[in-house]
Amino acid sequence: MSAADTMPSGNRRLELHLLGRFELRAGETILIDRAWRRRKGKALIKLLALTPGRAMHREHVIETLWPEMDPDAAANNLFKNLHYVRTATDDPLLQSLITHEDNVLALSEDVRLDVDAFRAAAVRANTSRDPTDYSSALALWGGDLLPEDQYEPWVEAPREAIQEIHRTLLLGMAAVLLEHGDTLEAEMRFHEAHRENPLDEAPYIGLMRVYAASGQRDKALRQYEELARMLRTEHDIAPPPGATALRDEIAAAGTNEFGAPRARLLVQEPGRPSVEITLLHDATTIGREPGCQVVLVNRYASRQHARIEHDRGVYTLRDLRSRNGTVLNDRPLRKPAMLSRGDEIRIADALLVFDDGPPEMPTTIGRSGQL
């Protein structure tokens, strides 16, 4: 006896998954999935699920699923596949999955659709702009809509619409994370949005803001160059004025109020690419915490490990009572110390080289001669 036979149907609810996979289940029991051999039977369920109101006139169903077949033969196929759906298993819930009344076929309103749940969660997140709501909505994203029906014309428009909702969520969450100072997570979300639509301007501009906020001025300016190249290649147009104004603002941030270049840190951690970070703030905190201006991916670094303070052209390094200490030029840092060009700061196995010289003559090595 199956699990479906041992549970009263009133205690279970049909759930239909369309994101990332096709699966109809009741509780823990899978009733129909992509392995079911009745292709048109599956298509009938999917078509009604994607139709506004979950209902469609019989003639429209026939035109969509059997467009080249004789009307009488197509109607016969429709009724056969409706029977196949209702008898796919002996679960009584399948009998009421699709109704046919007054020439209208309808998917039961009692069926829970993952697509509907995702849309509703997206509305909540975009309204509240709460990071928790964004995380909850994105957790419902199972993947592209019906990937096994990649070339079905009736899936194309719903797929693009749901992808746009997902992309908007990614951009919204990235913006909120950036507002909260979590540049690492914001960067990841902007990259996800870019992968979904490489021709969209928003992820480029978002990444410009992320890199500017984390002091990576050169990377921010490179994002503008990549945006300009994409727009020129794909659309033969220039970047929008807002992006150009942001580029100019970031470029100007490379100097202080006296026009002198701002100091920079060359950061290298094992297994990660080197990063140059411009010290845009009078206090630059270094540590594991996402809100730090310089975030280290190392469990031996404290959440807020050290800080570089700037006052009238003088940069001072201060240890923030870290657990494993800070080393400056191979000596443990016991008290705040002024920094000079080429000074090496070691935190766990990360190396940070201080550079306050002209950017056109960058310091690529520290006192030890290597990064």
Side-chain angles (χ1 to χ4, degrees):
M1 181 177 292
S2 68
D5 294 326
T6 60
M7 297 178 63
S9 61
N11 293 339
R12 296 175 301 136
R13 184 180 182 184
L14 288 173
E15 296 183 8
L16 182 57
H17 297 272
L18 305 178
L19 294 174
R21 70 190 192 279
F22 171 71
E23 183 179 278
L24 178 68
R25 62 190 309 143
E28 298 300 316
T29 305
I30 297 176
L31 304 179
I32 298 175
D33 61 14
R34 63 177 301 176
W36 191 46
R37 298 174 62 183
R38 303 294 183 179
R39 187 172 64 87
K40 290 296 186 179
K42 291 185 291 186
L44 177 60
I45 299 171
K46 299 170 187 176
L47 178 63
L48 294 176
L50 295 178
T51 301
R54 302 187 184 186
M56 183 178 287
H57 194 277
R58 183 181 68 184
E59 298 303 321
H60 193 181
V61 173
I62 290 173
E63 291 171 2
T64 303
L65 299 183
W66 294 276
E68 299 178 0
M69 189 173 286
D70 172 83
D72 291 337
N76 187 48
N77 270 279
L78 171 61
F79 292 125
K80 279 185 178 180
N81 280 278
L82 181 57
H83 173 74
Y84 294 149
V85 168
R86 290 172 172 170
T87 59
T89 74
D90 57 0
D91 194 302
L93 287 175
L94 288 179
Q95 294 296 320
S96 58
L97 175 63
I98 298 175
T99 60
H100 181 207
E101 296 178 3
D102 298 326
N103 292 323
V104 174
L105 289 106
L107 185 74
S108 172
E109 290 293 332
D110 293 332
V111 178
R112 182 187 182 277
L113 291 180
D114 62 346
V115 172
D116 288 351
F118 176 70
R119 288 195 188 103
V123 170
R124 284 194 299 272
N126 289 324
T127 301
S128 71
R129 299 193 78 247
D130 186 298
T132 302
D133 287 340
Y134 276 116
S135 296
S136 298
L138 287 168
L140 297 176
W141 177 254
D144 286 342
L145 182 73
L146 296 174
E148 68 271 25
D149 296 297
Q150 195 71 29
Y151 303 107
E152 292 288 356
W154 48 271
V155 178
E156 184 175 336
R159 179 183 291 120
E160 291 177 356
I162 205 75
Q163 283 176 335
E164 179 63 18
I165 293 174
H166 183 235
R167 190 188 65 84
T168 301
L169 274 177
L170 290 171
L171 291 172
M173 185 173 190
V176 170
L177 290 168
L178 183 55
E179 291 170 9
H180 285 74
D182 192 345
T183 54
L184 280 179
E185 187 72 18
E187 178 185 5
M188 185 178 73
R189 296 301 185 181
F190 278 127
H191 276 301
E192 286 184 58
H194 174 72
R195 285 193 294 271
E196 291 230 339
N197 185 0
L199 303 183
D200 182 26
E201 302 168 11
Y204 290 93
I205 296 172
L207 286 168
M208 288 175 67
R209 297 187 185 280
V210 165
Y211 295 136
S214 58
Q216 301 179 71
R217 185 172 63 96
D218 290 346
K219 290 186 73 172
L221 296 176
R222 282 199 296 273
Q223 278 296 313
Y224 177 84
E225 293 170 3
E226 291 181 17
L227 170 61
R229 187 180 305 112
M230 182 275 290
L231 291 174
R232 184 172 59 251
T233 302
E234 299 294 335
H235 306 293
D236 196 25
I237 59 175
T244 302
L246 178 61
R247 186 274 312 271
D248 294 342
E249 179 184 338
I250 293 170
T255 60
N256 60 25
E257 62 271 28
F258 305 110
R262 292 186 181 273
R264 299 168 299 284
L265 281 179
L266 302 175
V267 182
Q268 183 168 337
E269 297 183 82
R272 298 173 63 84
S274 300
V275 176
E276 181 182 88
I277 296 178
T278 303
L279 305 184
L280 300 176
H281 309 280
D282 287 335
T284 300
T285 306
I286 306 166
R288 284 190 296 111
E289 193 170 85
C292 293
Q293 284 75 43
V294 180
V295 179
L296 301 179
V297 186
N298 190 303
R299 63 192 180 97
Y300 295 108
S302 297
R303 295 180 64 83
Q304 293 190 1
H305 196 106
R307 184 168 60 236
I308 296 177
E309 300 168 351
H310 175 246
D311 183 25
R312 289 172 290 186
V314 176
Y315 290 86
T316 303
L317 176 65
R318 183 188 302 272
D319 184 81
L320 300 178
R321 302 177 68 180
S322 62
R323 183 173 182 178
N324 293 309
T326 302
V327 175
L328 176 62
N329 298 326
D330 297 326
R331 294 184 178 180
L333 184 67
R334 306 295 186 192
K335 59 182 180 180
M338 288 177 51
L339 292 172
S340 301
R341 191 179 194 199
D343 279 349
E344 289 184 349
I345 305 166
R346 291 191 179 273
I347 295 176
D349 55 3
L351 173 63
L352 304 87
V353 180
F354 179 78
D355 181 7
D356 61 353
E360 62 271 16
M361 299 180 62
T363 296
T364 56
I365 59 174
R367 296 176 185 273
S368 66
Q370 62 180 5
L371 267 178

